[in-house]
């Protein structure tokens, strides 16, 4: 029977590690096939990991140390966090976990620190700090937009820029939007809602409204960017997979002096008409070797929403790969049939 003991110090730290109804610990036990118990003594709390599999006990202990470090840093631990840490440690990437968690981007109006929750998110944030233009590409739930907005708010608070400009393609700007009541702004608001939500959380509704009235925050459809030069600004283009190559070029060439631009999108969720090319897909190919432009690809590992979101993304990826493989096989068979017929003539 192998055993590892991790001293947690206080009951509060232990409680936050275990989670509500011990959900975090149950997830860790199931992942590595171990038994985890809490022990209180005169020298403080400790967590004991035991099991028949020595490697499983060692890995679970390493994950618990990472959880303790995050709790001591003020982070909340969820079941999704535990599973992410477990996957990283099991893959031998535990050393990378030291790179994130201690770096607070900004604080919300409720006092909640906003930090990168995965190594991939940390690399994305670092790219934004180092580069003038960054393209963040990846599946839903990886924090692409939220972290970009957090970086924009920090830049505004630190007076690195004088305004924030957030934009998205309004691809339904034709007849679908026409069925919605109100003026153009009312029609496009539903498509800009994720940007509003992120700003409300970080700045509060009243503070956000004050910035809008002063013109230091602007949220508008991508079409409104044409003909402008955006100086001293932090600009975010969200849902960029729905921009055409022409729109993408137009947006990127709006960049002015002392400005920074972040482009985010998911190439698997393009809503453009059939046959239309995505500007984001072309941009990552055209811009990949240009200095001061960073490109970051998120994976399903970086999903920080409900754990089912990660499973859904993996399932869809597997289905699409299998469908593409079947299509290629069918194409090859048809080619073989064609040449056989030609040979028989």
């Amino acid at each position: 029977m192998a055993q590892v003991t991790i001293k947690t110090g206080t009951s509060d730290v232990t409680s936050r590690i275990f989670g509500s109804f011990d959900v975090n610990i149950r997830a860790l036990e199931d992942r590595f096939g171990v038994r985890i118990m809490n022990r209180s003594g005169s020298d403080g709390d400790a967590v004991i990991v035991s099991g028949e599999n020595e490697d499983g006990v060692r890995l679970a202990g390493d994950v618990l140390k990472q959880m303790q470090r995050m709790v001591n840093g003020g982070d909340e631990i969820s079941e999704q966090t535990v599973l992410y840490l477990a996957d990283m440690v099991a893959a031998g990437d535990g050393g990378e976990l030291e790179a994130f968690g201690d770096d607070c981007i900004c604080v919300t109006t409720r006092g909640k620190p906003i930090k990168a929750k995965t190594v991939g998110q940390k690399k994305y944030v670092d790219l934004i700090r180092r580069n003038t233009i960054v393209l963040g590409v990846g599946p839903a739930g990886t924090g692409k937009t939220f972290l970009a907005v957090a970086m924009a708010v920090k830049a505004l608070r630190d007076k690195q820029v004088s305004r924030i400009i957030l934009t998205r393609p309004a691809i339904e700007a034709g007849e679908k939007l026409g069925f919605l009541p109100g003026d153009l702004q009312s029609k496009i608001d539903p498509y800009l809602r994720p940007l509003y939500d992120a700003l409300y959380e970080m700045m509060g509704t009243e503070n956000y409204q004050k910035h809008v009235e002063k013109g230091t925050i602007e949220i508008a459809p991508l079409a409104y960017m044409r003909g402008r030069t955006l100086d001293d600004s932090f600009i975010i283009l969200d849902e960029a997979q729905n921009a055409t190559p022409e729109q993408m070029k137009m947006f990127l060439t709006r960049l002015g002096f002392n400005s920074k631009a972040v482009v985010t999108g998911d190439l698997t969720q393009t809503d453009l008409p059939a046959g239309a090319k995505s500007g984001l897909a072309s941009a990552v190919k055209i811009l990949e070797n240009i200095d001061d432009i960073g490109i970051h690809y998120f994976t399903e590992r970086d999903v920080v929403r409900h754990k089912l979101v990660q499973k859904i993304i993996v399932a869809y990826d597997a289905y699409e790969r299998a469908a593409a493989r079947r299509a290629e096989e069918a194409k090859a068979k048809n080619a073989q049939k064609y040449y056989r017929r030609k040979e028989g003539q």
Side-chain angles (χ1 to χ4, degrees), residues 221-260:
L222 181 57
Y224 283 24
M225 298 298 108
R226 187 173 297 280
R228 302 178 62 182
T229 300
L230 306 175
D231 292 326
D232 201 27
S233 305
F234 197 117
I235 316 145
I236 299 173
L237 171 57
D238 192 32
E239 299 290 348
Q241 75 277 2
N242 290 329
T244 65
E246 294 77 16
Q247 288 175 324
M248 180 63 70
K249 180 181 177 183
M250 178 273 291
F251 171 78
L252 293 172
T253 54
R254 299 309 93 201
L255 194 69
F257 292 105
N258 192 42
S259 289
K260 188 181 288 285

Side-chain angles (χ1 to χ4, degrees), residues 143-160:
K144 303 182 298 295
T145 302
F146 189 79
L147 290 172
V149 173
M151 291 294 288
V153 170
K154 176 176 173 57
L156 185 65
R157 287 176 178 171
D158 294 346
K159 301 188 185 305
Q160 296 171 354

Side-chain angles (χ1 to χ4, degrees), residues 307-328:
K307 61 182 179 180
L308 277 178
V309 174
Q310 189 177 86
K311 294 180 180 178
I312 290 168
I313 291 169
V314 172
Y316 267 92
D317 285 346
Y319 174 82
E320 289 166 3
R321 284 196 299 270
R325 188 170 58 250
R326 288 194 298 269
E328 286 296 321

Side-chain angles (χ1 to χ4, degrees), residues 186-242:
S186 299
K187 292 174 187 290
I188 64 173
D189 274 355
Y191 302 97
L192 303 172
R193 179 53 55 186
L195 300 174
Y196 291 131
D197 291 344
L199 285 168
Y200 290 163
E201 181 167 350
M202 291 172 214
M203 308 183 79
T205 306
E206 291 185 9
N207 194 23
Y208 162 76
Q209 292 294 345
K210 289 178 181 177
H211 280 290
V212 170
E213 291 170 5
K214 290 192 299 182
T216 52
I217 291 181
E218 177 184 347
I219 303 181
L222 181 57
Y224 283 24
M225 298 298 108
R226 187 173 297 280
R228 302 178 62 182
T229 300
L230 306 175
D231 292 326
D232 201 27
S233 305
F234 197 117
I235 316 145
I236 299 173
L237 171 57
D238 192 32
E239 299 290 348
Q241 75 277 2
N242 290 329

